Amino acid sequence: MFDLPDSIKEAIAQLSRIPGVGEKTATRQVLALLNWRAEEIKDFSQSFDDLLNIQKCESCGMYADEKICSICSSEERVSQGTICVVENIIDALAIEKSDNYQGTYHILGGVLNPLLGIGPNELNLDLLVKRIESHNVKNIILAINPSVEGDATCSYIRQIVSQDIVIDRIGFGIPVGGSLEYLDGLTISKALENRKQM
Amino acid sequence: MFDLPDSIKEAIAQLSRIPGVGEKTATRQVLALLNWRAEEIKDFSQSFDDLLNIQKCESCGMYADEKICSICSSEERVSQGTICVVENIIDALAIEKSDNYQGTYHILGGVLNPLLGIGPNELNLDLLVKRIESHNVKNIILAINPSVEGDATCSYIRQIVSQDIVIDRIGFGIPVGGSLEYLDGLTISKALENRKQM
């Protein structure tokens, strides 16, 4: 049976390494890409090479072009005195997209998970405590996903942060557009617990 | 609102240029890729750079590492005296995967389509006629998809190829695993027309 040239097979293998891309999809995509002009393929490859220059913000852990990201270097946002703690960069981007938060972020890089060997030292916690002490931080919002590990991480943060700091956890309940009929019991319990007087 | 660094935005834009990849998917994929080690990202980018060295077989038009692809340089396959004409490389790969064809291929690079300005000169037809004359070709199988343009292309090939050559068109009918209930009328007409005595 005919085999594709090695360079094509290698590009397919590389593309299949991206989560969610199977070999069939990758084959179709690489063959589509081969119809591009040489400069276009060059630009494509170059754009991934350029990712190697990406840095992480030394303050919050967000991807940044400079040493400090655009949020941490914005006087307006830092002066709010609020840090929103998230598990990862994608979560921070999701909050940022909701366009309803004006403070800064702090990327933990995961949640405590003893089974996977993720303890406090594996998370970006020391820097969080330092930021709280050195900047004039008054509020922490824990935007950590609800799970056993997430809950434990939140409790741990409450313990290591000075009691003067107000720590809120993001609200749980029925998502907008969601329907009670299809929601799990735990979400409904949380929604009842978090009811608000009208 | 916070913006991702330019290099990430550029990689997302490049990935979205692949057909079937939207901006959301590309964003998720690039952010996943950013968790890789530097050498892994380097290999990824390099594999697409290497695609620039891909050649097309001077005989059939298939992708090849050398000037002549592995099928056209196989004495066993060329000696069958059969050329299977397909629209594009992906179609040839699909036939090759069925593992039921032992001859060579010829990639047309499309079908005649006057509306899109694709005439006989835009297709790889001259080389087909030359290959038929110079090699000892006895059979042509037209594995061209059924459409008005595909039908016209088949008729055109019948006209330009010597009448001594047997030209077959690939069979149309009900796909294996298909159900009459869900097939269009044209396919059913073709299937009735192509019925075989048991």
Side-chain angles (χ1 to χ4, degrees):
Chain A
M1 213 173 112
F2 173 72
D3 234 5
L4 282 168
D6 285 340
S7 49
I8 297 187
K9 280 197 286 182
E10 174 62 18
I12 292 170
Q14 288 291 343
L15 211 54
S16 331
R17 296 189 52 228
I18 295 179
V21 180
E23 206 195 317
K24 261 195 161 167
T25 306
T27 307
R28 203 163 21 81
Q29 292 182 344
V30 169
L31 291 174
L33 198 140
L34 279 163
N35 289 326
W36 295 1
R37 279 177 291 118
E39 315 92 82
E40 292 179 316
I41 296 181
K42 188 83 207 146
D43 287 348
F44 182 86
S45 141
Q46 185 62 46
S47 74
F48 291 97
D49 240 7
D50 291 345
L51 287 183
L52 293 169
N53 303 326
I54 283 288
Q55 306 179 39
K56 286 195 178 168
C57 171
E58 289 182 1
S59 172
C60 70
M62 183 75 103
Y63 291 123
D65 280 323
E66 317 274 321
K67 286 195 165 190
I68 299 292
C69 75
S70 60
I71 295 179
C72 289
S73 50
S74 149
E75 186 49 50
E76 199 190 320
R77 297 191 71 149
V78 173
S79 65
Q80 302 269 334
T82 305
I83 297 180
C84 178
V85 178
V86 291
E87 290 176 36
N88 54 48
I89 294 176
I90 301 182
D91 290 350
L93 292 174
I95 295 172
E96 197 57 19
K97 244 188 191 158
S98 78
D99 218 357
N100 204 16
Y101 175 69
Q102 290 307 316
T104 56
Y105 293 95
H106 193 81
I107 320 287
L108 280 188
V111 283
L112 294 175
N113 193 333
L115 286 176
L116 296 178
I118 305 175
N121 293 330
E122 275 68 50
L123 300 180
N124 192 12
L125 284 167
D126 290 349
L127 200 61
L128 176 63
V129 175
K130 251 182 239 162
R131 279 180 75 189
I132 293 171
E133 285 165 3
S134 60
H135 295 66
N136 192 15
V137 174
K138 297 183 206 80
N139 294 291
I140 303 281
I141 299 172
L142 299 177
I144 290 174
N145 292 312
S147 68
V148 177
E149 293 81 12
D151 295 350
T153 310
C154 290
S155 305
Y156 185 82
I157 293 177
R158 176 69 277 184
Q159 281 167 38
I160 59 169
V161 169
S162 149
Q163 295 298 323
D164 307 338
I165 311 283
V166 177
I167 304 191
D168 293 326
R169 189 150 181 209
I170 202 167
F172 300 128
I174 303 170
V176 178
S179 157
L180 279 170
E181 187 180 351
Y182 300 113
L183 284 171
D184 59 301
L186 207 61
T187 302
I188 294 179
S189 307
K190 289 274 185 191
L192 285 171
E193 202 176 295
N194 294 336
R195 67 186 183 274
K196 259 191 172 172
Q197 195 174 357
M198 290 178 65
Chain B
M1 212 174 115
F2 174 72
D3 234 4
L4 283 166
D6 286 340
S7 49
I8 298 187
K9 281 197 287 182
E10 174 63 18
I12 292 170
Q14 288 292 342
L15 211 55
S16 330
R17 296 189 52 229
I18 295 180
V21 181
E23 206 195 314
K24 260 195 162 167
T25 306
T27 306
R28 203 162 21 82
Q29 292 181 344
V30 169
L31 291 175
L33 198 141
L34 278 164
N35 289 327
W36 297 0
R37 278 178 289 118
E39 315 92 83
E40 293 180 314
I41 296 180
K42 189 82 208 149
D43 288 348
F44 182 88
S45 141
Q46 185 62 45
S47 75
F48 291 97
D49 240 8
D50 291 345
L51 288 182
L52 293 169
N53 303 327
I54 282 289
Q55 306 179 40
K56 286 195 178 170
C57 170
E58 289 182 0
S59 173
C60 70
M62 183 76 102
Y63 291 122
D65 279 323
E66 317 272 322
K67 284 194 165 193
I68 299 293
C69 74
S70 60
I71 295 180
C72 289
S73 51
S74 149
E75 186 50 49
E76 199 191 319
R77 297 192 69 149
V78 173
S79 65
Q80 301 270 335
T82 305
I83 296 179
C84 178
V85 179
V86 290
E87 289 175 38
N88 53 48
I89 293 176
I90 300 183
D91 290 351
L93 292 173
I95 295 172
E96 197 59 18
K97 244 188 190 158
S98 79
D99 218 359
N100 203 17
Y101 175 70
Q102 291 305 318
T104 56
Y105 292 94
H106 192 83
I107 320 286
L108 280 188
V111 282
L112 294 174
N113 192 332
L115 284 178
L116 297 178
I118 304 177
N121 294 331
E122 274 70 48
L123 301 179
N124 193 9
L125 284 166
D126 290 350
L127 200 61
L128 176 63
V129 175
K130 253 182 235 162
R131 279 179 75 189
I132 294 170
E133 285 164 2
S134 59
H135 296 64
N136 193 16
V137 174
K138 297 184 205 79
N139 294 291
I140 303 280
I141 298 172
L142 299 177
I144 291 174
N145 292 311
S147 67
V148 177
E149 293 82 11
D151 296 350
T153 310
C154 291
S155 307
Y156 185 82
I157 293 176
R158 176 68 278 184
Q159 281 168 38
I160 59 168
V161 171
S162 149
Q163 294 299 320
D164 306 339
I165 311 285
V166 177
I167 303 190
D168 293 327
R169 188 149 182 210
I170 202 166
F172 300 128
I174 302 171
V176 178
S179 156
L180 280 170
E181 187 180 352
Y182 299 113
L183 285 170
D184 59 302
L186 207 61
T187 302
I188 294 179
S189 307
K190 290 273 185 191
L192 284 172
E193 204 177 293
N194 293 338
R195 68 185 182 276
K196 260 191 173 176
Q197 196 173 355
M198 291 178 65

